[in-house]
Coordinates of all heavy atoms in Angstrom, one line a residue:
M1 N 91.1 148.8 -44.6 CA 91.7 147.9 -45.5 C 91.0 146.5 -45.2 O 90.6 146.2 -44.1 CB 93.2 147.8 -45.3 CG 94.0 147.0 -46.3 SD 95.7 147.2 -46.0 CE 96.2 148.2 -47.4
E2 N 90.9 145.7 -46.3 CA 90.2 144.4 -46.1 C 90.8 143.4 -47.0 O 91.4 143.7 -48.0 CB 88.7 144.5 -46.2 CG 88.3 144.9 -47.6 CD 86.8 145.1 -47.7 OE1 86.2 145.9 -47.0 OE2 86.2 144.5 -48.6
Y3 N 90.5 142.1 -46.7 CA 90.9 141.1 -47.7 C 90.1 141.2 -49.0 O 88.9 141.3 -49.0 CB 90.6 139.7 -47.1 CG 91.6 139.3 -46.0 CD1 91.1 139.1 -44.7 CD2 92.9 139.0 -46.2 CE1 92.0 138.8 -43.7 CE2 93.7 138.6 -45.2 CZ 93.3 138.5 -43.9 OH 94.1 138.1 -42.9
E4 N 90.8 141.2 -50.1 CA 90.1 141.2 -51.4 C 89.8 139.8 -51.8 O 88.9 139.6 -52.5 CB 91.0 142.0 -52.4 CG 91.1 143.4 -52.1 CD 91.9 144.2 -53.1 OE1 92.1 143.7 -54.2 OE2 92.3 145.3 -52.8
N5 N 90.7 138.9 -51.4 CA 90.4 137.5 -51.8 C 89.3 136.9 -50.9 O 89.5 136.8 -49.7 CB 91.8 136.7 -51.6 CG 91.6 135.3 -52.0 OD1 90.6 134.6 -51.8 ND2 92.7 134.8 -52.6
P6 N 88.2 136.4 -51.5 CA 87.1 135.9 -50.8 C 87.5 134.7 -49.9 O 87.0 134.5 -48.8 CB 86.1 135.5 -51.8 CG 86.5 136.2 -53.0 CD 87.9 136.5 -53.0
H7 N 88.4 133.8 -50.4 CA 88.8 132.7 -49.6 C 89.6 133.1 -48.4 O 89.3 132.6 -47.3 CB 89.7 131.8 -50.5 CG 90.3 130.6 -49.8 ND1 89.4 129.5 -49.4 CD2 91.5 130.3 -49.3 CE1 90.2 128.6 -48.8 NE2 91.4 129.1 -48.7
E8 N 90.5 134.1 -48.5 CA 91.2 134.6 -47.3 C 90.2 135.3 -46.3 O 90.4 135.1 -45.1 CB 92.3 135.6 -47.7 CG 93.5 135.0 -48.4 CD 94.5 136.0 -48.8 OE1 94.4 137.2 -48.5 OE2 95.5 135.6 -49.3
R9 N 89.3 136.0 -46.8 CA 88.3 136.6 -46.0 C 87.5 135.6 -45.2 O 87.3 135.7 -44.0 CB 87.3 137.5 -46.8 CG 86.4 138.3 -46.0 CD 85.4 139.2 -46.8 NE 86.1 139.9 -47.9 CZ 85.8 139.8 -49.1 NH1 84.7 139.1 -49.5 NH2 86.4 140.4 -50.1
R10 N 87.1 134.5 -45.9 CA 86.3 133.4 -45.3 C 87.2 132.7 -44.2 O 86.7 132.4 -43.1 CB 85.9 132.4 -46.3 CG 85.0 131.3 -45.8 CD 84.3 130.5 -46.9 NE 83.3 129.6 -46.3 CZ 83.6 128.4 -45.9 NH1 84.8 128.0 -45.9 NH2 82.6 127.7 -45.4
C11 N 88.5 132.5 -44.5 CA 89.3 131.9 -43.5 C 89.5 132.8 -42.3 O 89.5 132.3 -41.2 CB 90.7 131.7 -44.1 SG 90.8 130.3 -45.3
G12 N 89.5 134.1 -42.5 CA 89.5 135.0 -41.4 C 88.3 134.9 -40.5 O 88.4 134.9 -39.3
Y13 N 87.1 134.8 -41.1 CA 85.9 134.7 -40.4 C 85.9 133.4 -39.6 O 85.5 133.3 -38.4 CB 84.6 134.7 -41.3 CG 84.3 136.0 -41.9 CD1 83.8 136.0 -43.2 CD2 84.6 137.2 -41.3 CE1 83.5 137.2 -43.9 CE2 84.3 138.4 -42.0 CZ 83.7 138.4 -43.2 OH 83.4 139.6 -43.8
L14 N 86.3 132.3 -40.3 CA 86.3 131.0 -39.6 C 87.3 131.0 -38.4 O 87.0 130.4 -37.4 CB 86.7 129.9 -40.6 CG 85.7 129.6 -41.7 CD1 86.2 128.6 -42.7 CD2 84.4 129.1 -41.1
H15 N 88.4 131.6 -38.6 CA 89.4 131.8 -37.5 C 88.8 132.5 -36.3 O 88.9 132.0 -35.2 CB 90.6 132.5 -38.0 CG 91.6 132.9 -36.9 ND1 92.4 132.0 -36.3 CD2 91.9 134.1 -36.4 CE1 93.1 132.6 -35.4 NE2 92.8 133.9 -35.4
L16 N 88.1 133.6 -36.6 CA 87.5 134.3 -35.4 C 86.4 133.5 -34.7 O 86.4 133.5 -33.5 CB 86.8 135.6 -36.0 CG 87.8 136.7 -36.5 CD1 87.1 137.9 -37.0 CD2 88.8 137.1 -35.4
Y17 N 85.6 132.8 -35.5 CA 84.5 132.0 -34.8 C 85.2 130.8 -34.1 O 84.7 130.5 -33.0 CB 83.5 131.4 -35.9 CG 82.5 132.5 -36.2 CD1 82.6 133.2 -37.4 CD2 81.4 132.7 -35.4 CE1 81.6 134.2 -37.7 CE2 80.4 133.6 -35.7 CZ 80.6 134.4 -36.9 OH 79.6 135.3 -37.2
G18 N 86.2 130.2 -34.6 CA 86.9 129.1 -33.9 C 87.5 129.6 -32.6 O 87.4 129.0 -31.5
V19 N 88.3 130.7 -32.7 CA 88.9 131.3 -31.4 C 87.8 131.7 -30.4 O 87.9 131.4 -29.2 CB 89.8 132.5 -31.8 CG1 90.2 133.2 -30.5 CG2 91.0 132.0 -32.6
S20 N 86.7 132.2 -30.9 CA 85.6 132.7 -30.0 C 85.0 131.5 -29.3 O 84.8 131.5 -28.1 CB 84.6 133.4 -30.9 OG 83.5 133.8 -30.1
Q21 N 84.8 130.4 -30.0 CA 84.3 129.2 -29.4 C 85.3 128.6 -28.4 O 84.8 128.1 -27.3 CB 83.9 128.1 -30.5 CG 82.7 128.5 -31.3 CD 81.5 128.7 -30.4 OE1 81.0 127.8 -29.8 NE2 80.9 129.9 -30.4
A22 N 86.5 128.6 -28.7 CA 87.5 128.1 -27.8 C 87.6 129.0 -26.5 O 87.6 128.4 -25.4 CB 88.9 128.1 -28.4
C23 N 87.4 130.3 -26.7 CA 87.4 131.2 -25.5 C 86.2 130.9 -24.7 O 86.2 130.9 -23.4 CB 87.3 132.6 -26.0 SG 88.9 133.2 -26.7
A24 N 85.0 130.6 -25.3 CA 83.8 130.3 -24.6 C 83.9 129.0 -23.8 O 83.5 128.9 -22.6 CB 82.6 130.2 -25.6
L25 N 84.5 128.0 -24.4 CA 84.7 126.7 -23.8 C 85.6 126.9 -22.5 O 85.3 126.3 -21.4 CB 85.3 125.7 -24.7 CG 85.6 124.3 -24.2 CD1 84.3 123.6 -23.8 CD2 86.3 123.5 -25.3
I26 N 86.8 127.6 -22.7 CA 87.7 127.8 -21.6 C 87.0 128.6 -20.5 O 87.2 128.2 -19.3 CB 89.0 128.5 -22.1 CG1 89.7 127.6 -23.0 CG2 89.8 128.9 -20.9 CD1 90.8 128.3 -23.8
A27 N 86.3 129.6 -20.8 CA 85.6 130.4 -19.8 C 84.6 129.5 -19.1 O 84.5 129.6 -17.8 CB 84.9 131.6 -20.5
H28 N 83.8 128.7 -19.8 CA 82.8 127.9 -19.2 C 83.5 126.9 -18.2 O 83.1 126.7 -17.0 CB 82.1 127.1 -20.2 CG 81.1 126.1 -19.7 ND1 79.9 126.5 -19.1 CD2 81.1 124.8 -19.6 CE1 79.2 125.5 -18.7 NE2 79.9 124.4 -19.0
K29 N 84.6 126.3 -18.6 CA 85.3 125.3 -17.7 C 85.9 126.0 -16.5 O 86.1 125.4 -15.5 CB 86.4 124.6 -18.5 CG 85.9 123.6 -19.5 CD 87.0 122.9 -20.3 CE 87.5 121.7 -19.6 NZ 86.8 120.5 -19.6
R30 N 86.3 127.3 -16.6 CA 86.9 128.0 -15.5 C 85.8 128.8 -14.7 O 86.2 129.6 -13.9 CB 88.0 128.9 -16.0 CG 89.1 128.1 -16.6 CD 90.3 129.0 -17.0 NE 91.4 128.2 -17.5 CZ 92.5 128.7 -18.0 NH1 92.7 130.0 -18.0 NH2 93.4 128.0 -18.4
N31 N 84.5 128.6 -15.1 CA 83.4 129.3 -14.4 C 83.6 130.9 -14.5 O 83.4 131.6 -13.5 CB 83.3 128.9 -13.0 CG 81.9 129.1 -12.4 OD1 81.0 129.2 -13.2 ND2 81.8 129.3 -11.1
L32 N 84.0 131.3 -15.7 CA 84.2 132.7 -16.0 C 83.0 133.2 -16.9 O 82.2 132.4 -17.3 CB 85.5 133.0 -16.6 CG 86.7 132.6 -15.8 CD1 88.0 132.8 -16.6 CD2 86.8 133.5 -14.6
N33 N 83.0 134.5 -17.2 CA 82.0 135.1 -18.0 C 82.1 134.6 -19.5 O 83.0 135.1 -20.2 CB 82.0 136.6 -18.0 CG 80.9 137.3 -18.6 OD1 80.4 136.9 -19.7 ND2 80.5 138.4 -18.0
V34 N 81.2 133.7 -19.9 CA 81.3 133.1 -21.2 C 81.0 134.2 -22.3 O 81.7 134.2 -23.4 CB 80.3 131.9 -21.3 CG1 80.2 131.4 -22.8 CG2 80.7 130.8 -20.4
E35 N 80.0 135.0 -22.1 CA 79.7 136.0 -23.1 C 80.8 137.0 -23.3 O 81.2 137.3 -24.5 CB 78.4 136.8 -22.6 CG 77.9 137.8 -23.7 CD 76.7 138.5 -23.2 OE1 76.3 138.4 -22.0 OE2 76.1 139.2 -24.1
L36 N 81.5 137.4 -22.3 CA 82.6 138.3 -22.4 C 83.8 137.6 -23.1 O 84.4 138.2 -24.0 CB 83.1 138.8 -21.0 CG 84.2 139.8 -21.0 CD1 83.8 141.1 -21.7 CD2 84.5 140.2 -19.5
A37 N 84.0 136.4 -22.8 CA 85.1 135.6 -23.4 C 84.8 135.4 -24.9 O 85.7 135.5 -25.7 CB 85.3 134.3 -22.7
T38 N 83.6 135.2 -25.2 CA 83.2 135.0 -26.6 C 83.5 136.3 -27.4 O 84.0 136.3 -28.5 CB 81.7 134.6 -26.8 OG1 81.5 133.4 -26.0 CG2 81.3 134.4 -28.2
M39 N 83.1 137.4 -26.8 CA 83.3 138.7 -27.5 C 84.8 139.0 -27.6 O 85.3 139.5 -28.7 CB 82.7 139.9 -26.7 CG 81.2 139.8 -26.8 SD 80.4 141.3 -26.1 CE 80.6 141.0 -24.4
A40 N 85.6 138.7 -26.6 CA 87.1 138.9 -26.7 C 87.7 138.0 -27.8 O 88.5 138.5 -28.5 CB 87.7 138.5 -25.3
G41 N 87.2 136.8 -28.0 CA 87.6 136.0 -29.0 C 87.3 136.5 -30.4 O 88.1 136.5 -31.3
M42 N 86.1 137.1 -30.6 CA 85.7 137.7 -31.9 C 86.5 138.9 -32.2 O 86.7 139.2 -33.4 CB 84.2 138.0 -31.8 CG 83.3 136.8 -31.9 SD 83.6 135.8 -33.3 CE 82.7 136.7 -34.6
L43 N 87.0 139.6 -31.2 CA 87.7 140.9 -31.4 C 89.2 140.8 -31.3 O 89.9 141.8 -31.6 CB 87.2 141.9 -30.4 CG 85.8 142.3 -30.4 CD1 85.4 143.2 -29.3 CD2 85.4 142.9 -31.8
H44 N 89.7 139.6 -31.1 CA 91.1 139.4 -30.8 C 92.1 139.8 -31.9 O 93.3 140.1 -31.7 CB 91.5 138.0 -30.2 CG 91.7 137.0 -31.3 ND1 90.7 136.4 -32.0 CD2 92.9 136.6 -31.8 CE1 91.2 135.6 -32.9 NE2 92.6 135.7 -32.8
D45 N 91.6 139.8 -33.1 CA 92.5 140.2 -34.3 C 92.1 141.5 -35.0 O 92.5 141.7 -36.1 CB 92.5 139.0 -35.3 CG 93.5 137.9 -35.0 OD1 94.4 138.2 -34.2 OD2 93.3 136.8 -35.5
L46 N 91.3 142.2 -34.3 CA 90.7 143.5 -34.9 C 91.8 144.4 -35.4 O 91.7 144.8 -36.6 CB 89.9 144.2 -33.8 CG 88.9 145.3 -34.3 CD1 87.9 144.7 -35.2 CD2 88.3 145.9 -33.1
H47 N 92.8 144.6 -34.7 CA 93.9 145.5 -35.1 C 94.7 144.9 -36.3 O 95.0 145.6 -37.3 CB 94.9 145.8 -34.0 CG 96.0 146.8 -34.4 ND1 97.2 146.4 -34.9 CD2 96.0 148.1 -34.3 CE1 97.9 147.5 -35.2 NE2 97.2 148.5 -34.8
S48 N 94.9 143.6 -36.3 CA 95.6 143.0 -37.4 C 94.8 143.1 -38.7 O 95.3 143.3 -39.8 CB 95.8 141.5 -37.1 OG 96.6 141.3 -36.0
Y49 N 93.5 142.9 -38.6 CA 92.6 143.0 -39.8 C 92.5 144.4 -40.3 O 92.5 144.7 -41.5 CB 91.2 142.4 -39.6 CG 91.3 140.9 -39.4 CD1 90.5 140.3 -38.5 CD2 92.1 140.1 -40.2 CE1 90.5 138.9 -38.3 CE2 92.1 138.7 -40.1 CZ 91.3 138.1 -39.1 OH 91.3 136.8 -38.9
Q50 N 92.5 145.3 -39.3 CA 92.3 146.7 -39.7 C 93.6 147.2 -40.4 O 93.5 148.0 -41.4 CB 92.1 147.6 -38.5 CG 91.7 149.0 -38.7 CD 91.4 149.7 -37.5 OE1 92.2 149.8 -36.6 NE2 90.2 150.3 -37.4
T51 N 94.8 146.8 -40.0 CA 96.0 147.3 -40.5 C 96.6 146.3 -41.5 O 97.6 146.7 -42.2 CB 97.0 147.6 -39.4 OG1 97.3 146.4 -38.7 CG2 96.5 148.6 -38.4
M52 N 96.1 145.1 -41.6 CA 96.7 144.0 -42.4 C 98.1 143.8 -42.0 O 99.0 143.5 -42.9 CB 96.5 144.4 -43.9 CG 95.1 144.5 -44.4 SD 94.1 143.1 -44.0 CE 94.7 141.9 -45.2
N53 N 98.4 143.9 -40.7 CA 99.8 143.7 -40.2 C 99.6 143.1 -38.8 O 99.1 143.7 -37.9 CB 100.5 145.0 -40.2 CG 101.9 144.9 -39.7 OD1 102.4 143.8 -39.4 ND2 102.6 146.0 -39.5
A54 N 100.2 141.9 -38.7 CA 100.1 141.2 -37.4 C 101.3 141.4 -36.5 O 101.4 140.9 -35.4 CB 99.8 139.7 -37.6
E55 N 102.3 142.1 -37.0 CA 103.5 142.3 -36.3 C 103.2 143.1 -35.0 O 102.6 144.2 -35.0 CB 104.5 143.1 -37.1 CG 105.9 143.1 -36.5 CD 106.9 143.7 -37.5 OE1 106.7 143.6 -38.7 OE2 107.9 144.3 -37.0
N56 N 103.7 142.6 -33.9 CA 103.5 143.3 -32.6 C 102.0 143.5 -32.3 O 101.7 144.5 -31.6 CB 104.3 144.6 -32.4 CG 105.8 144.3 -32.6 OD1 106.3 143.3 -32.2 ND2 106.5 145.3 -33.1
H57 N 101.2 142.7 -32.8 CA 99.7 143.0 -32.7 C 99.2 142.8 -31.3 O 98.2 143.4 -31.0 CB 98.9 142.2 -33.7 CG 98.9 140.7 -33.4 ND1 100.0 139.9 -33.5 CD2 97.9 139.9 -32.9 CE1 99.6 138.7 -33.1 NE2 98.3 138.7 -32.8
T58 N 99.8 142.0 -30.5 CA 99.2 141.7 -29.2 C 99.1 142.9 -28.3 O 98.1 143.0 -27.5 CB 100.0 140.6 -28.4 OG1 101.4 141.1 -28.3 CG2 100.0 139.3 -29.1
E59 N 100.0 143.9 -28.4 CA 99.9 145.1 -27.6 C 98.8 146.1 -28.1 O 98.4 146.9 -27.3 CB 101.2 145.8 -27.5 CG 101.8 146.1 -28.8 CD 103.3 146.5 -28.7 OE1 104.2 145.7 -28.8 OE2 103.5 147.7 -28.5
F60 N 98.4 145.9 -29.4 CA 97.4 146.9 -29.9 C 96.0 146.3 -29.9 O 95.0 147.1 -29.8 CB 97.8 147.2 -31.3 CG 99.1 147.8 -31.5 CD1 100.1 147.2 -32.2 CD2 99.4 149.1 -30.9 CE1 101.4 147.8 -32.3 CE2 100.6 149.7 -31.1 CZ 101.6 149.0 -31.8
E61 N 95.8 145.0 -29.9 CA 94.5 144.4 -30.1 C 93.6 144.8 -28.9 O 92.4 145.2 -29.1 CB 94.6 142.9 -30.2 CG 95.5 142.3 -31.3 CD 95.0 142.6 -32.7 OE1 93.9 143.2 -32.8 OE2 95.6 142.1 -33.6
A62 N 94.0 144.6 -27.7 CA 93.1 144.8 -26.5 C 92.7 146.3 -26.4 O 91.6 146.6 -26.2 CB 93.9 144.4 -25.3
E63 N 93.7 147.2 -26.7 CA 93.3 148.6 -26.6 C 92.3 149.0 -27.7 O 91.3 149.7 -27.3 CB 94.6 149.4 -26.8 CG 94.4 150.9 -26.6 CD 95.7 151.7 -26.7 OE1 96.7 151.1 -26.4 OE2 95.6 152.9 -27.1
L64 N 92.4 148.5 -28.9 CA 91.4 148.8 -29.9 C 90.1 148.2 -29.6 O 89.1 148.8 -29.8 CB 92.0 148.3 -31.3 CG 91.1 148.7 -32.5 CD1 90.9 150.2 -32.6 CD2 91.7 148.1 -33.7
A65 N 90.1 146.9 -29.2 CA 88.8 146.2 -28.9 C 88.1 146.9 -27.8 O 86.9 147.1 -27.8 CB 89.1 144.8 -28.5
Ligands
FE2_1 FE1 94.0 135.3 -34.4

């Protein structure tokens, strides 16, 4: 399933890039693996986008990613 509305799809992409950059910044400041943090940020909503349902998504996102 995917967003049919191009504006909503674009907002989803922007959200992922924003979260990914925030993860990279936090990882850098904490001297952690920036590349891994960036990937985690990009994948953090994978289950929500796949199912188009964000309810209880935190328990499913990490496993799917
Ligand atoms: Fe998100």
